[in-house]
Amino acid sequence: MTDRRFMRRAIELATAGIGNVSPNPAVGAVLVRDGRIIGEGYHREYGGPHAETDCIRDARVRGEDPRGAVMYCTLEPCSFRSPTKHNPPCTESVIEAGITRMIIAARDPNPAVAGCGVQALRTAGIQTSCGLMEDQVLTLNESYFLSTAVRRPQVHLKWAQSLNGRIARAEGGKTPISGPEALRHSHGLRATVDAILVGRATVELDNPSLTARHGVSPARQPLRVVLDPSLRTPISSQLFQDQAAKTLILSGALNDESLTQAAALKRLGVEIVQLPVQEEGDFDPADILDALYERGIRSVLVEGGSVTHTGFLAAGLWDRLTVYIGPTLLEGNVLAPDAPGPSIATVAHEVDVLGDTVAITGMNPNTRRVLDGLKWETAPQPQTAGCVLPQEEAHVHRSST
Amino acid sequence: MTDRRFMRRAIELATAGIGNVSPNPAVGAVLVRDGRIIGEGYHREYGGPHAETDCIRDARVRGEDPRGAVMYCTLEPCSFRSPTKHNPPCTESVIEAGITRMIIAARDPNPAVAGCGVQALRTAGIQTSCGLMEDQVLTLNESYFLSTAVRRPQVHLKWAQSLNGRIARAEGGKTPISGPEALRHSHGLRATVDAILVGRATVELDNPSLTARHGVSPARQPLRVVLDPSLRTPISSQLFQDQAAKTLILSGALNDESLTQAAALKRLGVEIVQLPVQEEGDFDPADILDALYERGIRSVLVEGGSVTHTGFLAAGLWDRLTVYIGPTLLEGNVLAPDAPGPSIATVAHEVDVLGDTVAITGMNPNTRRVLDGLKWETAPQPQTAGCVLPQEEAHVHRSST
């Protein structure tokens, strides 16, 4: 169980990077000799050294020699160079340091690595074993693994409803459905994503600030994204005015009228990206996710409203959902999102009791299948010829500037 | 904390009577001398001896003398005689046994007792203290306390819904929403009530047996109640045919056609009670509860359908609700019950995680207020003149035949 103890420590170290490293994954590493930790490291921020290098450096700072030591690393070391990646391949650092054994949790799904890291280590004579605590690392970096595999951001849907499935009172007006503990929990969700997305109606009805607060203070606030095909969200809305985070509007084609609105928004620092509008007057969720992915967004929390949620549900473009169920009963037909299509049984349920509110989180079974397919056991083994040699250029997901 | 230990034991003993004593409450008693239990008793079944008598008898069987002992009793001893009550007043048994001190948890809300039991004990010189672990006893006998106070059965609403608040698929057909653990939990609810009630449409759609099974086996199956204003539930329905429990149909006035149906149902042992039908074609929930209360029903589990639930919610005639939330997403507009009127914040939430299903149980705040009003602290003290003397006749709730 010693192996698990050291890997647990590496995962702990990796966790410290969450929120600072996207679109890279959070990675931790530990160097061990004679059952004693001689170095610890993690990927601290996007653009900074990778965990393996950070760990070797730490050992040297401590006056320890990494030669002959064992490295526990949460992710397969990278094995390629590219013009947009200033870090050398970690496999080289590991080999040069004289490390003789590597214990790796998860496979890097980046096509430029994807088994080639392990191959490079083994070719250099380093005894390498894979898969220890793989599930924990997949969960820790779920958005990295998933978005790398499906080439779109991880989509997390979130809403609050009454005990009888209503999301607001029929007659309108704000109805607080969930309590303060639930509020903190939902701000915790915000703090872990790259972007928060809402439809125009939600901005008009709730005038939210869409920042992560209430006890959480992420290193960087998520991008705020508003779906506004006709570009008519009031410019006085809080999230355009407060400068608390970057804001992006997805709009349709601009006309004479909306060009004026666009100019005013741009003066406030709001970015506008134009997308094709469908016949029904809304965007194709796939187009939305493409636009976000191109900007480096690897995870998005979709906060509503109901029509926006239903759009993602109908398209099957969602990975997790969290439903907050408050201790109230409401009248009328302002309903939780509809789920068009055959009934979906979600998997991987988490239940959090938050004061008098209950949060249920489920995972899309298709997402579960994608993530399971990334494991060492199921993922295809690289052909020797298929691995990019370190000196060649490669398509880069995990890059450092 | 010794007092609490003995009262906890008395509550434990009381629990064994649950399911066998309604419309009486479940009561337990413990006799203690010199810190040692010398007798234990409980109200075992409706019509049998009360807990106090059972406990004194147990002490004597053990060769112990109750004189000078302390009795811990979960409920205030009864203090009246009546022609329908063959047990003597427990206050007399306690006094005659020479018990010198009584520790009582809860006040008996039966107007024939209601503080007079304590008064009788004190008048006889027995040192009597009240309120120890009162909340636990109120919860244990919630249906007794509540139904005695409001003179109708306790109403427990129960339904299962998807994560997005739908109770079935739009296109019909059975959709199992919750898993096997939730099934066991819901049968556990059935086992604790006097009656289970459904609307006609639920019988036609689901053809349920409405018995408590799946790991629970109550001493007596709850009465099955079907709301069928026009008396047209198919006679082939399982619950009319299986003889697994008594069945009662609440119907409107019978006409020539329904008289034939009624005769056939009666041949199967089904009882029919006629109630006035409202303009909308359904019953007034207050009439339903009156009819059940008259039959000695002190608790009813309302299992649906949605229209039936909404009727009780709209009338404010409900005390608890349990919502099972399964790990599915469903399409369409077959919705969880509507809750007409101002939004209701339920209280006293219990959350049970049952495999991949979550059960949330809330209490009507009005019910909470009624129960709180029954405590020693808030309930009115009896006037000496107001207490019925043992030899007088009294209105009886807690009776033994």
Side-chain angles (χ1 to χ4, degrees), chain B residues 277-331:
Chain B
V277 174
Q278 300 182 118
E279 223 169 273
E280 300 76 21
D282 55 6
F283 302 121
D284 182 336
D287 289 343
I288 297 169
L289 297 179
D290 276 350
L292 296 180
Y293 191 72
E294 273 168 29
R295 293 177 53 92
I297 299 296
R298 292 294 174 267
S299 55
V300 57
L301 186 65
V302 179
E303 299 212 4
S306 195
V307 173
T308 301
H309 282 137
T310 297
F312 283 95
L313 284 167
L317 288 171
W318 63 279
D319 303 296
R320 280 181 174 262
L321 59 82
T322 297
V323 185
Y324 294 91
I325 299 163
T328 52
L329 291 161
L330 294 176
E331 175 174 18

Side-chain angles (χ1 to χ4, degrees), chain B residues 221-240:
Chain B
Q221 285 288 348
L223 178 71
R224 305 181 286 198
V225 182
V226 180
L227 306 182
D228 187 6
S230 53
L231 200 64
R232 56 193 173 94
T233 316
I235 200 153
S236 61
S237 303
Q238 183 168 328
L239 81 173
F240 299 146

Side-chain angles (χ1 to χ4, degrees), chain A residues 49-74:
Chain A
H50 289 178
E52 299 90 324
T53 322
D54 191 52
C55 179
I56 292 166
R57 182 200 51 74
D58 180 57
R60 292 196 171 121
V61 166
R62 299 188 193 191
E64 302 277 359
D65 185 350
R67 262 177 297 183
V70 184
M71 180 176 277
Y72 293 79
C73 189
T74 61

Side-chain angles (χ1 to χ4, degrees), chain B residues 33-292:
Chain B
R33 189 169 32 222
D34 302 331
R36 192 174 60 84
I37 291 179
I38 61 165
E40 294 187 337
Y42 67 100
H43 186 36
R44 289 159 198 267
E45 56 180 342
Y46 182 72
H50 289 178
E52 300 90 324
T53 321
D54 192 52
C55 178
I56 293 166
R57 183 200 51 75
D58 180 58
R60 292 195 171 123
V61 167
R62 298 187 194 193
E64 301 277 359
D65 185 351
R67 264 177 294 186
V70 183
M71 181 177 277
Y72 292 79
C73 190
T74 60
L75 190 72
E76 179 183 15
C78 66
S79 51
F80 67 98
R81 289 180 198 282
S82 100
T84 60
K85 174 170 177 280
H86 291 182
N87 276 313
C90 287
T91 47
E92 287 184 10
S93 312
V94 168
I95 295 164
E96 281 162 18
I99 290 160
T100 49
R101 198 169 152 229
M102 279 292 284
I103 319 273
I104 298 166
R107 181 178 183 271
D108 190 341
N110 179 348
V113 186
C116 295
V118 168
Q119 202 170 81
L121 295 173
R122 286 184 176 148
T123 304
I126 297 174
Q127 188 194 334
T128 305
S129 60
C130 304
L132 179 69
M133 301 181 79
E134 188 177 18
D135 282 336
Q136 286 91 323
V137 172
L138 279 168
T139 301
L140 181 70
N141 284 300
E142 198 174 283
S143 62
Y144 170 76
F145 285 104
L146 184 75
S147 64
T148 302
V150 298
R151 302 189 59 76
R152 61 159 177 82
Q154 179 186 40
V155 177
H156 193 144
L157 311 180
K158 184 215 107 176
W159 69 83
Q161 68 188 34
S162 67
L163 276 168
N164 60 332
R166 272 70 176 172
I167 58 170
R169 296 177 69 189
E171 62 269 39
K174 276 203 172 183
T175 312
I177 285 176
S178 51
E181 292 93 337
L183 193 70
R184 276 195 292 279
H185 185 277
S186 67
H187 280 261
L189 287 188
R190 284 183 176 179
T192 63
V193 293
D194 293 338
I196 299 169
L197 182 149
V198 295
R200 180 185 53 78
T202 297
V203 177
E204 290 194 9
L205 285 169
D206 299 347
N207 196 17
S209 64
L210 298 185
T211 54
R213 46 197 201 284
H214 291 288
V216 297
S217 46
R220 45 182 187 196
Q221 285 288 348
L223 178 71
R224 305 181 286 198
V225 182
V226 180
L227 306 182
D228 187 6
S230 53
L231 200 64
R232 56 193 173 94
T233 316
I235 200 153
S236 61
S237 303
Q238 183 168 328
L239 81 173
F240 299 146
Q241 298 288 340
D242 68 6
Q243 307 293 328
K246 288 185 180 172
T247 307
L248 168 70
I249 298 180
L250 299 179
S251 84
L254 300 180
N255 55 29
D256 288 347
E257 202 183 328
S258 56
L259 271 170
T260 317
Q261 169 92 339
L265 285 163
K266 282 175 187 166
R267 274 193 297 276
L268 292 167
V270 175
E271 194 185 349
I272 297 167
V273 167
Q274 297 177 54
L275 291 183
V277 174
Q278 300 182 118
E279 223 169 273
E280 300 76 21
D282 55 6
F283 302 121
D284 182 336
D287 289 343
I288 297 169
L289 297 179
D290 276 350
L292 296 180

Side-chain angles (χ1 to χ4, degrees), chain A residues 164 166 327 329 332 336 338 344 346, chain B residues 164 166 327 329 332 336-338 344 346:
Chain A
N164 61 332
R166 272 70 174 174
L329 290 162
D338 199 5
I344 303 158
T346 70
Chain B
N164 60 332
R166 272 70 176 172
L329 291 161
D338 199 3
I344 303 158
T346 69

Side-chain angles (χ1 to χ4, degrees), chain A residues 161 163-164 166 318 321 325 327-333 335-341 343-346 349 351 356 358 360, chain B residues 161 163-164 166 318 321 325 327-333 335-341 343-346 349 351 356 358 360:
Chain A
Q161 67 189 33
L163 276 169
N164 61 332
R166 272 70 174 174
W318 63 279
L321 60 82
I325 299 162
T328 52
L329 290 162
L330 293 176
E331 175 175 18
N333 284 308
L335 304 176
D338 199 5
S343 65
I344 303 158
T346 70
H349 312 283
V351 180
D356 54 12
V358 180
I360 304 178
Chain B
Q161 68 188 34
L163 276 168
N164 60 332
R166 272 70 176 172
W318 63 279
L321 59 82
I325 299 163
T328 52
L329 291 161
L330 294 176
E331 175 174 18
N333 284 307
L335 304 176
D338 199 3
S343 64
I344 303 158
T346 69
H349 312 284
V351 180
D356 52 13
V358 180
I360 304 178

